[in-house]
Amino acid sequence: MTATVPAPAARRVFGVLGKKAVVPWLFLAPGLLLALVFKFWPMAKGIWLSFFDVRPFLGDQWIGLDNYTRVLADHRFQDAIGHTLVLGLGQSLGAILLGFALALLLEGQARSLKILRTAVFLPAVTATAVVGELWRLMYYPTSDGLLNSGLHLLGLGPVQFLDNPDIALYSTMAMGIWIWAPYNMVILLAGLAGVDRSLYEAAAMDGVSLWQRLRYITLPAIRPALMIVLTLATIRGLRVFTEVYVLTGGGPAGSTDVWMTRAYTLGFTRNDIGGASAASVVLLCVTLLLTVMVNYLRKRGEAR
Amino acid sequence: MRDRRRSRRPAALLAAAALAFGTAACGSGSGSARNDDPNTLEVWTRSNPDPAATYERVFAAFTKKTGIKIDYQPVINFDQQLQSRASTKDLPDVMINDTALMGSYQGQGLLKPIDPASIAGHDQITGKTWSSTVGIDGKHYGIPYSRQAQTLMIRKDWLQKLGLKAPTTWQEMLSVAKAFATEDPDGDGKADTYGMVVPGSAQNGYAAWWGASFLWQGGAQIIEPDGKGTYRAAMDSAAAVHTVTWMKDNLFCGDNGVTQPGALTAVTSTATNFQDGNAGMYMTGPYNIATFDTTPGKDKYEVVPAPAGPAGADVLADGENIYFGARTGKTKQEQALAAFLISPEGQKLAMTGKNQPVVRIPVNSTLDAAKVRDDARWSVVQKAYEDASQQFPNAPDFAPIKQDTADALNAIFTYCGGDVRSQLGELNETLAGDLKDQDLLT
């Protein structure tokens, strides 16, 4: 199959553009190819399938927007929107705040700080399934559980962290913050490293308070890093899946069901691939919209 | 500058397209090579490593006997993998998976119809067992392979210590559970034991799977055939309301400790309290016998029939069928494998050995589970299967029905203040919708 490269056409194009124009694309080709095969093609297929009643062996049936109306009218999906927003927002903001606090605390060159930073970063590189199992143990709903034994010492509890439908979503959120804060910390640390030291010195001479230093020097200086963190967190927050799936599976009583766990159940427990594709496409559109919006706000902010 | 940038685009597209076509061609080439060998069957089972070892032994014996090779794939997330294989229109040749999935697979066109007479030794499977593989159109879509019924596993030593007997009714079961939770049966002076283990999560429909036995015992049904080939949703019956209310009030919203902590988010793999030795009862399938013989230990527990409810002691029966993937073109070899798997030799191999057995109650009527294993506990399971069990209806696509029932039961057991009758009424409407989607509603 190596002959598929249309040699004459390619030569003509290469001739017109010259070597210089082609070489960068050749270097990009492996990455592009991987993206095409593993990202863009499945994505296009997903969008295509969302218009069908998918039955690979009986012939897919075109049903237009039926999948979309079914998904959007399903009250469990509607509930999931609320959970996704609460979890996504809480988890993103919590992880950014905690990540920022960690970055401020752990910024510096000392060896002890390096070790600490590595230790703090560990949650971000641990498999989410493992983290989920760990937190299940910590959340164990009797005084044998780590958190509950702590509460027990204070004369409180035991708290049903995962089995109480009013608390389960927040328990999941806490785990999400724990996972993602160190990740944000690393990006923010890079931002902090770029802050002009002379500004701090000048501020110290002017005798500003800690809060003023943060507000008028640190935050404006790390704004680009913050924006990256915010964009990433928005996207991640909306398509949250693994954290919920490994910790509660969407339960109890659907109280932690988010958009993606719903789509997963629809696709793989109920074998409704068309509906699951439609749900995923809706999420894709919303994510795209939000990303564009964050970008727009950032550009407007920069221009100002 | 701008013009130049624009003119680069076609070059990039061309290069990318050419590369993509190249790989696509390679991909399909290598994919079909494996399946082209007519003398190799690709076989999938939904198995963890331990039962997979048993399957490997069975398939090795088959290859030795017939010369047909087996490309065996134990798959844990079976249905997810199967969906992605189905989307490539290249199914495994033979699949061994749950009986309750037959309607779902058949509805998607994933299965070949099967003529029982074409399978050697088909007459050693009883008519009743064969009837459980009839699809919605009256044809068979599976070959029975293994059957089982739920029984109650109970800690013998705890009963003795507290001077109790194994329960035979719901009421007795409840008092035993309370005693296990409060009277310190493990004697460590701490209140760290629980009555019974419940995998009560809605994930994968576990709440419905575990709760089904209680529904049958309370005289309730999830859906009912009306004798004309269609079904009606039946979860709003008085029996269903009564049963679910009893379960909610006594097992989930009553005294602490009757069920293990975290029951409502537990699936079978996380509900390990019986092995861990802190829960005294577990209503479950007999595949766990091998596991429980190691921990808590063979001498520590016994296998008894499920306690009876107001309408009897029927438990959920299920099991595995052998399915032939649609359009695989190796029918002869597949039939040979099926004939071996249901033969006394194939069934015995799968029932014994040091790993988890993959045939629990043999479908081959010439075999006796307790005799083959030389273990009287298996006769309890076989008796439950033969005399007091009901399966999920096999003809409709039961997957959405089971999932919706599990969602509703999990919610009812979670919100203790809810109104069971209206919640079950809502479930019933959802179930009617599921049946309507399949054109099966009365």
Side-chain angles (χ1 to χ4, degrees):
Chain A
M1 287 316 291
T2 44
T4 9
V5 178
R11 202 172 299 144
R12 201 171 59 231
V13 175
F14 286 16
V16 171
L17 294 173
K19 249 185 198 161
K20 268 190 183 156
V22 175
V23 169
W25 286 109
L26 280 180
F27 277 108
L28 283 176
L32 274 178
L33 180 70
L34 285 176
L36 194 78
V37 174
F38 292 107
K39 279 213 150 94
F40 300 122
W41 176 247
M43 215 186 288
K45 182 108 194 245
I47 296 173
W48 179 241
L49 285 179
S50 70
F51 299 107
F52 285 90
D53 180 8
V54 180
R55 306 173 307 169
F57 277 79
L58 301 170
D60 296 347
Q61 263 177 347
W62 175 270
I63 51 169
L65 292 174
D66 266 18
N67 283 327
Y68 288 91
T69 46
R70 211 155 33 82
V71 164
L72 293 173
D74 186 337
H75 70 93
R76 281 173 293 194
F77 267 102
Q78 289 163 2
D79 292 346
I81 295 178
H83 301 150
T84 312
L85 288 180
V86 171
L87 188 62
L89 277 177
Q91 193 169 301
S92 306
L93 291 181
I96 290 175
L97 281 178
L98 186 63
F100 185 52
L102 284 172
L104 286 178
L105 289 173
L106 300 181
E107 191 202 1
Q109 292 301 317
R111 175 183 288 247
S112 57
L113 281 176
K114 279 186 187 158
I115 295 172
L116 250 178
R117 274 201 297 263
T118 313
V120 168
F121 191 64
L122 276 179
V125 291
T126 312
T128 320
V130 176
V131 174
E133 211 42 54
L134 206 75
W135 278 75
R136 266 190 87 87
L137 287 175
M138 298 211 297
Y139 279 146
Y140 196 74
T142 70
S143 49
D144 295 336
L146 185 73
L147 288 177
N148 270 320
S149 67
L151 289 173
H152 188 72
L153 286 178
L154 301 172
L156 300 169
V159 176
Q160 307 276 318
F161 287 104
L162 297 176
D163 284 59
N164 183 333
D166 299 327
I167 301 179
L169 193 62
Y170 299 99
S171 308
T172 317
M173 194 187 287
M175 184 182 92
I177 293 174
W178 187 82
I179 295 178
W180 292 109
Y183 185 81
N184 294 339
M185 174 193 80
V186 170
I187 300 179
L188 292 173
L189 269 175
L192 284 177
V195 180
D196 190 347
R197 298 282 131 181
S198 60
L199 288 176
Y200 283 144
E201 285 159 19
M205 268 187 247
D206 287 344
V208 301
S209 69
L210 181 68
W211 167 246
Q212 284 170 322
R213 205 175 80 176
L214 265 184
R215 168 73 184 79
Y216 294 104
I217 301 177
T218 314
L219 278 178
I222 61 160
R223 189 175 174 141
L226 262 182
M227 276 303 161
I228 293 172
V229 165
L230 200 65
T231 315
L232 289 176
T234 317
I235 298 172
R236 211 166 44 216
L238 288 178
R239 47 145 222 209
V240 55
F241 171 75
T242 327
E243 290 95 318
V244 176
Y245 189 75
V246 296
L247 200 60
T248 62
S255 61
T256 55
D257 232 352
V258 289
W259 194 265
M260 277 319 289
T261 53
R262 225 31 263 169
Y264 182 88
T265 309
L266 199 61
F268 293 118
T269 314
R270 304 174 62 114
N271 302 320
D272 181 356
I273 299 291
S277 300
S280 310
V281 171
V282 170
L283 185 70
L284 177 73
C285 293
V286 174
T287 313
L288 209 64
L289 207 74
L290 270 174
T291 316
V292 169
M293 212 165 74
V294 170
N295 240 338
Y296 170 76
L297 289 177
R298 192 186 66 187
K299 285 214 175 105
R300 213 182 56 172
E302 273 168 8
R304 204 166 42 189
Chain B
M1 189 66 211
R2 173 172 249 209
D3 283 335
R4 188 153 168 213
R5 196 184 297 161
R6 188 176 295 159
S7 61
R8 277 181 197 167
R9 251 174 229 157
L13 280 176
L14 261 180
L19 282 163
F21 280 123
T23 37
C26 287
S28 61
S30 56
S32 55
R34 184 182 55 185
N35 285 347
D36 277 350
D37 179 5
N39 216 26
T40 301
L41 290 174
E42 184 183 357
V43 181
W44 280 24
T45 70
R46 187 173 64 86
S47 309
N48 295 321
D50 188 54
T54 309
Y55 273 118
E56 262 159 26
R57 236 166 7 92
V58 174
F59 295 141
F62 170 71
T63 305
K64 202 172 163 198
K65 195 166 176 182
T66 61
I68 300 172
K69 290 193 207 76
I70 303 286
D71 171 14
Y72 172 50
Q73 314 274 346
V75 185
I76 294 171
N77 50 347
F78 194 99
D79 285 289
Q80 289 86 320
Q81 297 289 329
L82 188 65
Q83 287 299 333
S84 45
R85 276 294 287 270
S87 68
T88 66
K89 304 206 171 134
D90 172 30
L91 290 174
D93 302 303
V94 175
M95 299 168 271
I96 300 176
N97 201 357
D98 299 357
T99 49
L101 289 166
M102 193 190 82
S104 166
Y105 292 166
Q106 192 244 320
Q108 300 171 69
L110 304 182
L111 303 179
K112 260 191 229 141
I114 287 160
D115 175 13
S118 68
I119 311 293
H122 64 93
D123 47 343
Q124 292 182 341
I125 297 178
T126 63
K128 182 190 164 204
T129 309
W130 267 115
S131 73
S132 65
T133 61
V134 178
I136 212 80
D137 57 1
K139 292 185 203 159
H140 289 272
Y141 284 92
I143 300 152
Y145 178 55
S146 162
R147 288 294 179 265
Q148 62 199 327
Q150 300 201 341
T151 52
L152 187 69
M153 318 274 170
I154 188 165
R155 285 291 291 262
K156 198 159 55 175
D157 52 339
W158 289 13
L159 286 174
Q160 268 168 6
K161 179 156 188 289
L162 302 181
L164 297 164
K165 280 193 317 220
T168 56
T169 65
W170 282 5
Q171 262 328 309
E172 288 175 21
M173 176 177 68
L174 192 61
S175 13
V176 169
K178 284 179 186 166
F180 281 174
T182 54
E183 292 174 26
D184 192 23
D186 61 353
D188 65 354
K190 283 189 250 167
D192 57 357
T193 50
Y194 310 98
M196 63 172 98
V197 184
V198 175
S201 168
Q203 211 175 346
N204 289 332
Y206 274 116
W209 174 79
W210 169 83
S213 297
F214 285 90
L215 291 175
W216 307 163
Q217 290 155 12
Q221 293 291 327
I222 298 174
I223 56 172
E224 269 174 342
D226 61 359
K228 290 175 287 192
T230 49
Y231 293 80
R232 67 174 155 262
M235 280 304 278
D236 61 348
S237 68
V241 174
H242 181 260
T243 305
V244 174
T245 308
W246 187 89
M247 292 167 79
K248 174 187 158 183
D249 290 350
N250 294 297
L251 306 182
F252 298 98
C253 299
D255 296 339
N256 273 339
V258 171
T259 55
Q260 92 275 21
L264 290 170
T265 47
V267 294
T268 45
S269 57
T270 51
T272 54
N273 304 66
F274 197 81
Q275 286 110 292
D276 300 345
N278 59 34
M281 287 185 276
Y282 191 7
M283 184 124 95
T284 186
Y287 38 83
N288 276 318
I289 288 180
T291 319
F292 296 161
D293 277 355
T294 328
T295 46
K298 198 171 179 176
D299 54 329
K300 295 248 172 62
Y301 78 105
E302 58 186 327
V303 180
V304 297
D314 276 12
V315 286
L316 178 69
D318 54 5
E320 279 83 41
N321 288 332
I322 304 163
Y323 300 114
F324 294 167
R327 293 192 213 157
T328 58
K330 294 180 199 166
T331 311
K332 278 275 168 292
Q333 291 85 339
E334 289 164 10
Q335 287 171 348
L337 176 61
F340 177 77
L341 289 175
I342 63 167
S343 69
E345 183 194 353
Q347 296 253 299
K348 267 189 201 164
L349 270 174
M351 289 165 72
T352 50
K354 65 179 168 53
N355 302 94
Q356 246 189 48
V358 295
V359 166
R360 286 81 190 227
I361 300 297
V363 293
N364 192 306
S365 56
T366 63
L367 298 176
D368 179 293
K371 269 195 202 131
V372 171
R373 294 198 172 86
D374 193 21
D375 183 344
R377 295 175 300 178
W378 279 90
S379 67
V380 178
V381 184
Q382 184 149 8
K383 207 158 174 299
Y385 172 70
E386 281 165 5
D387 302 340
S389 71
Q390 295 179 43
Q391 297 198 10
F392 285 135
N394 52 283
D397 176 359
F398 204 72
I401 296 168
K402 184 167 113 182
Q403 186 61 49
D404 285 331
T405 308
D407 283 341
L409 288 179
N410 181 266
I412 290 171
F413 298 151
T414 301
Y415 293 108
C416 289
D419 173 30
V420 174
R421 187 182 302 273
S422 71
Q423 284 165 313
L424 286 179
E426 267 171 44
L427 166 63
N428 219 50
E429 278 171 32
T430 313
L431 294 179
D434 289 337
L435 288 169
K436 201 167 165 223
D437 285 346
Q438 302 179 40
D439 295 321
L440 287 176
L441 188 64
T442 302

